[in-house]
Amino acid sequence: MDFPSHVQLIDVGPRDGLQNEKTMVPAATKIELVQRLQSAGLTEIEVTSFVSPKWVPQMADNVEVMAGITRQPGVHYSVLTPNLQGYEAAVKTRPDEIVVFGAASEAFSQKNINCSIAESMERFAPVVQAALAAGIAVRGAISCAVGCPYEGDVAPERVALVARLMREMGVQRVDVADTIGVGTPLKVQRALGAALPHYAIDQVSGHFHDTYGMALANTLAALQLGVWNFQSSVAGLGGCPYARGATGNVATEDVVYMLHGMGISTGIDLDRLIDAGQFISAALGRKPHSRVSHALQAKRTG
Ligand code: HMG
Ligand code: MG
């Protein structure tokens, strides 16, 4: 079996993770989290989103957070922008990459961004055009690529359709997202495979929530296809406010442990990453949702 020799991880904890917290996390804590992630060797960090503060009040401090981070050369900072209004606010904060986020399920598109899939593409097109013209990279997320909290199973053809539409409008790479963590390895391979006629393997990433504990298995299944870009959240933070019951992303700590154990490099210092996960978990008043973090912490103190 030929696995990739290097994996690129985007930590989405500050965004996907903290968008879902019931208690407000101060901007200073978010800024420190970003600092700790980059110190641990993360070179891509999804910092925040420029969405409606009425819909997601947790991200209302987006400008403050982007202004507060200390940018490190070689680190790419991305933000979510659902429409031109979000893009125009985001661009002033100098992100390296913006993310338009669509869905493979109609019902989820309506619940999450208040429009149909077709309407979402109309909203994204000018955002993508403006970003590319400004020299900002563009990523697209395809939510509910395996299953939807409202529609159940999602056919790979739905993923293929969204991938094609995103490709046609100029989106440079896509995240195949198991938003509610219901995927199992072969289903995830089929969803990723559905994006591959439209995007090269280097431009497709896996974004797996761990609701059913399948995210590491799904990551391995994606690696078997040659996928080498993934999103994960430090301390397993995460979830989507419009996907009830969905838990966090797979913990970055767990992915890094698995990859390093397979001889696959990530550039990440696992010890420092564990510290970052403990920092944010302590700030939230709980323990990290990461088995690797627990095991290594027990070893440290034991
Ligand atoms: P809408 O209500 O249809 O928008 O919301 P609208 O254009 O009709 O505007 C209504 C109001 O929203 C107006 O304010 C606008 O100014 C304001 P009012 O006049 O009523 O005071 N507004 C905005 N404010 C700030 N920033 C904006 C913006 N746009 C409009 N960009 C909208 C449409 C998309 C904005 C809304 O549905 C929304 O914010 N949804 C939140 C979606 C979200 O953040 N979901 C979580 C992230 S996605 C995710 O987690 C999945 C992912 O991780 C992958 C995976 O796991 O699947 C990426
Ligand atoms: Mg997500």
Side-chain angles (χ1 to χ4, degrees), residues 172-238:
Q172 294 163 311
R173 55 180 183 155
V174 285
D175 311 331
V176 173
D178 182 10
T179 313
I180 55 170
V182 289
T184 43
L186 299 183
K187 285 187 184 171
V188 162
Q189 284 187 340
R190 286 196 282 269
L192 289 161
L196 287 174
H198 307 288
Y199 284 93
I201 196 84
D202 298 350
Q203 299 163 332
V204 173
S205 62
H207 175 118
F208 306 133
H209 286 261
D210 201 26
T211 319
Y212 287 78
M214 294 292 115
L216 275 183
N218 293 340
T219 303
L220 189 64
L223 287 167
Q224 284 172 335
L225 289 186
V227 171
W228 59 279
N229 288 276
F230 293 93
Q231 282 125 43
S232 56
S233 275
V234 65
L237 301 170

Side-chain angles (χ1 to χ4, degrees), residues 7-69:
V7 157
Q8 179 66 30
L9 292 178
I10 305 181
D11 200 292
V12 297
R15 193 282 304 169
D16 201 334
L18 300 182
Q19 77 181 6
N20 209 37
E21 288 301 324
K22 290 206 169 48
T23 50
M24 285 293 176
V25 177
T29 305
K30 297 176 178 176
I31 291 163
E32 171 146 13
L33 176 61
V34 171
Q35 182 57 39
R36 284 173 178 259
L37 289 172
Q38 57 194 17
S39 300
L42 265 302
T43 51
E44 290 199 57
I45 303 174
E46 203 170 89
V47 179
T48 186
S49 59
F50 286 81
V51 298
S52 161
K54 286 188 189 141
W55 284 60
V56 186
Q58 293 89 339
M59 297 284 111
D61 57 2
N62 43 28
V63 171
E64 191 183 349
V65 173
M66 284 298 280
I69 59 178

Side-chain angles (χ1 to χ4, degrees), residues 265-286:
S265 67
T266 63
I268 295 167
D269 178 327
L270 182 55
D271 258 334
R272 285 187 168 200
L273 180 64
I274 300 263
D275 291 342
Q278 288 189 335
F279 160 76
I280 191 62
S281 301
L284 297 168
R286 60 169 186 253

